[in-house]
Amino acid sequence: MTDPFAAAGTLRDAYRRVDWAATSIGPAATWSPALLAAVDLMLHTRAPVTLFWGPDDVLIYNEAYAPMIGDKHPAALGAPAGQVFAEIWDTIGPMLATVHAGDGAIWVEDLRLLMNRRGFLEETFFTFSYSAVHHADGSIAGAIDIASETTAQVLGRRRLALLSRLNDRLTDVADVDQLLDRALPVLRAATDDLPGVDILLPGTQAPTAAWPAPLDRDVAVESTPAGRIARIRLTGAEPSRADAVLVTRINPHLAVDEEYLGFFRLIGAALAQGLHRARTRQAERRATAMERELAEALQRSLLAAPAQPEHTEVAVRYQPAHEGAHIGGDWYDAFTLPDGRLTVVVGDVTGHDRRAAAAMSEIRSLLRGISYALLKPPALVLTGLQEALQGFAVDVFATVVLAQIERAEHGTRRLRWSNAGHPPPVLIAPDGTVRLLETRAETLLGTRGRVARTDHTVELTPGTSVIFYTDGLVERRDATLDDGLAELTRVLDGCAAMTAEEICDHLLACFAGSTEDDVVLAVVRARD
């Protein structure tokens, strides 16, 4: 008899150690042609596959299936499924019974199962199909399960949605009390990842062995009689006794892995950003600027008013393509980091639909949070954003230019930027010279694999202006991109004395009626 386990790969020895004669399906030499054919097909399949055979659904599975059941392997091989999957049998057992009864195949997508495969009941998600395997006479011989674990994708979507909701609620907070009123309901509604959460302001938290004061880690995990607790420091600068802390119980059904800890850090970054903004507004006793008007379209509601730091003028514009056009993914942003650097962003998500607008909102929120969390130069921030998009399975492409304006020698400013596949910024020198800030082309966001990104710098003497824009300003169906860039530099000739607001108005007036796409502008001008 041909060895039925020859194609089992790394499971070959495990198959041979099973006492098949002691199972309900008997030794391999007595297996039916239907079972042998099913085993052969399964072992030659690279997707995760298992068979349920015999009156007690004995498990027979391939190499790809073993990692999905964790510590249950190798004892699960040749064991009754009801015994192996006792903790989820109430769910999957009736499904198998339906197949065995001849009522047709079962298909389930992203089914939540609390499975004990690492020593605890773990929240897992699977997409799978149960189908009958037939004897030659048409009677049902067993069942086959073709499965795919989707835990990472489901958790990623769930956490990304929470981060998007949180950032949206924190956009225009006026003070710390309002931040708590807005953030806590959003966080407390996310019980799957944050089952019991609070924000502790300075003076309300007691030091512990795992979380000394001043706080010296961004995330710490403690074991308590009530379960594990995570504490996340809400700051983007050096740790101090003035830090607020997010405290949350940890879902006992989730592993405390890098994905979970990274999720905590992103929440902490969003809250730290909100606290910084709220405290600044409280200290300066400024009225809250409404960032969205009720009459604005969805896209305008996602674009916040820019920061206006000392010695730098910032002006922004958003112009939709034309009346009735679909919403798109163009955006701008301008905000001040805790260390005083002004960050300016202009980007464009591919597409002109609600998905593009939603992805733009997610990317903008992530970019703000990562900028606050990392406090690094633009190239490293874009690298962190790329990793977050891949980790959360945000399947979109986007171009973006990220710039930071920092203090330089002799009271001047320095522009440091990194460009991910976006049109080059334009610089107007105080003497009126206009030039494109062209650099070596680098890959847009959304591509697979790790991408090396580069920072570039230019000095901004007083009177220097830099224009950031989306491709809708310069792209035309009847002209090349080079033609559009040449036209842009031409119309900026003679604009050296203009303010940032005047440059925006001048550009929109010059290109009025010729743009075919959404246009976003962000102009920064170094003051004396």
Side-chain angles (χ1 to χ4, degrees):
M1 174 183 173
T2 303
D3 183 359
F5 312 135
T10 58
L11 300 189
R12 189 180 298 113
D13 289 341
Y15 265 97
R16 290 170 177 164
R17 285 195 297 268
V18 174
D19 183 5
W20 297 103
T23 70
S24 63
I25 63 175
T30 66
W31 287 0
S32 67
L35 177 52
L36 290 172
V39 169
D40 183 68
L41 174 65
M42 174 194 65
L43 295 181
H44 284 88
T45 301
R46 299 181 68 178
V49 178
T50 187
L51 299 175
F52 299 96
W53 215 269
D56 52 357
D57 291 311
V58 169
L59 284 174
I60 311 171
Y61 49 84
N62 63 4
E63 281 184 291
Y65 188 86
M68 294 199 309
I69 62 175
D71 296 342
K72 293 180 183 294
H73 175 75
L77 192 60
Q83 171 185 316
V84 174
F85 297 118
E87 70 278 16
I88 59 174
W89 194 245
D90 286 347
T91 300
I92 67 172
M95 296 180 182
L96 273 173
T98 297
V99 174
H100 288 316
D103 293 334
I106 294 289
W107 165 262
V108 182
E109 188 171 2
D110 294 335
L111 178 65
R112 181 178 183 266
L113 295 172
L114 293 181
M115 184 184 298
N116 185 354
R117 58 179 184 176
R118 305 188 197 180
F120 67 98
L121 288 178
E122 179 184 0
E123 183 181 33
T124 62
F125 295 85
F126 293 90
T127 293
F128 60 89
S129 174
Y130 289 162
S131 304
V133 179
H134 297 85
H135 288 297
D137 62 3
S139 61
I140 295 177
I144 186 170
D145 170 20
I146 302 174
S148 174
E149 182 172 1
T150 58
T151 304
Q153 293 88 333
V154 173
L155 295 183
R157 290 194 300 267
R158 185 171 82 193
R159 291 166 179 174
L160 184 60
L162 171 62
L163 286 166
S164 181
R165 292 194 301 272
L166 178 62
N167 278 288
D168 185 63
R169 293 294 292 154
L170 298 184
T171 299
D172 59 353
V173 291
D175 53 48
V176 174
D177 288 339
Q178 188 181 52
L179 180 140
L180 296 177
D181 290 342
R182 291 189 175 190
L184 285 174
V186 175
L187 297 174
R188 287 170 177 168
T191 55
D192 287 332
D193 290 300
L194 307 172
V197 63
D198 203 355
I199 297 174
L200 303 182
L201 299 177
T204 65
Q205 52 196 323
T208 68
W211 193 264
L215 311 180
D216 61 356
R217 279 169 285 171
D218 55 354
V219 179
V221 175
E222 300 179 51
S223 294
T224 73
R228 290 175 299 176
I229 290 177
R231 297 176 183 262
I232 302 97
R233 189 179 68 230
L234 305 183
T235 179
E238 292 298 319
S240 73
R241 297 178 185 272
D243 292 334
V245 175
L246 174 70
V247 181
T248 179
R249 289 171 53 201
I250 293 175
N251 186 337
H253 300 306
L254 291 174
V256 183
D257 51 20
E258 280 305 310
E259 286 73 20
Y260 206 176
L261 295 176
F263 170 64
F264 289 151
R265 292 186 182 98
L266 288 173
I267 292 177
L271 291 171
Q273 171 194 343
L275 283 169
H276 174 76
R277 181 168 56 246
R279 286 166 174 166
T280 298
R281 288 174 175 173
Q282 285 179 292
E284 298 176 355
R285 298 183 180 276
R286 295 185 300 178
T288 301
M290 295 300 295
E291 295 188 19
R292 293 181 288 178
E293 299 177 359
L294 294 178
E296 286 183 334
L298 171 62
Q299 187 131 5
R300 290 187 186 276
S301 71
L302 297 173
L303 303 177
Q308 295 287 351
E310 187 180 4
H311 301 306
T312 306
E313 179 189 1
V314 184
V316 293
R317 295 289 189 277
Y318 167 68
Q319 176 178 282
H322 54 78
E323 186 176 356
H326 292 293
I327 57 177
D330 296 39
W331 90 93
Y332 62 74
D333 208 353
F335 52 91
T336 305
L337 295 175
D339 57 12
R341 285 178 294 167
L342 172 67
T343 295
V344 178
V345 185
V346 168
D348 185 4
V349 176
T350 56
H352 287 85
D353 52 24
R354 293 187 178 184
R355 180 174 178 270
M360 176 267 285
S361 176
E362 293 170 357
I363 293 174
R364 174 182 171 274
S365 297
L366 281 172
L367 184 53
R368 276 192 164 212
I370 291 169
S371 296
Y372 265 77
L374 293 184
L375 290 178
K376 296 294 185 182
L380 292 178
V381 174
L382 289 181
T383 299
L385 176 60
Q386 174 76 23
E387 292 174 352
L389 293 177
Q390 291 180 355
F392 289 127
V394 181
D395 188 19
V396 295
F397 294 100
T399 67
V400 63
V401 58
L402 171 64
Q404 296 172 351
I405 298 176
E406 58 196 36
R407 291 182 180 274
E409 296 78 12
H410 309 299
T412 62
R413 297 290 186 273
R414 179 181 296 112
L415 179 75
R416 188 182 304 274
W417 82 96
S418 186
N419 191 329
H422 201 78
V426 185
L427 183 143
I428 307 176
D431 64 1
T433 303
V434 180
R435 65 185 177 96
L436 297 172
L437 297 180
E438 294 183 293
T439 57
R440 181 177 59 85
E442 295 186 357
T443 307
L444 71 169
L445 296 175
T447 54
R448 299 300 178 187
R450 190 173 183 83
V451 178
R453 301 205 179 274
T454 310
D455 285 317
H456 314 277
T457 60
V458 65
E459 298 301 314
L460 300 182
T461 56
T464 301
S465 297
V466 180
I467 299 92
F468 304 89
Y469 54 94
T470 52
D471 56 11
L473 185 69
V474 294
E475 284 191 343
R476 306 290 181 273
R477 294 181 184 177
D478 57 351
T480 67
L481 178 60
D482 288 340
D483 292 336
L485 294 175
E487 177 69 6
L488 175 59
T489 56
R490 185 189 67 78
V491 301
L492 288 172
D493 188 26
C495 297
M498 290 185 179
T499 66
E501 294 286 346
E502 290 171 340
I503 292 174
C504 285
D505 292 338
H506 173 69
L507 285 173
L508 292 181
C510 288
F511 288 100
S514 63
T515 57
E516 302 170 355
D517 199 354
D518 296 352
V519 174
V520 158
L521 291 174
V523 178
V524 296
R525 178 176 173 82
R527 294 172 172 156
D528 294 334

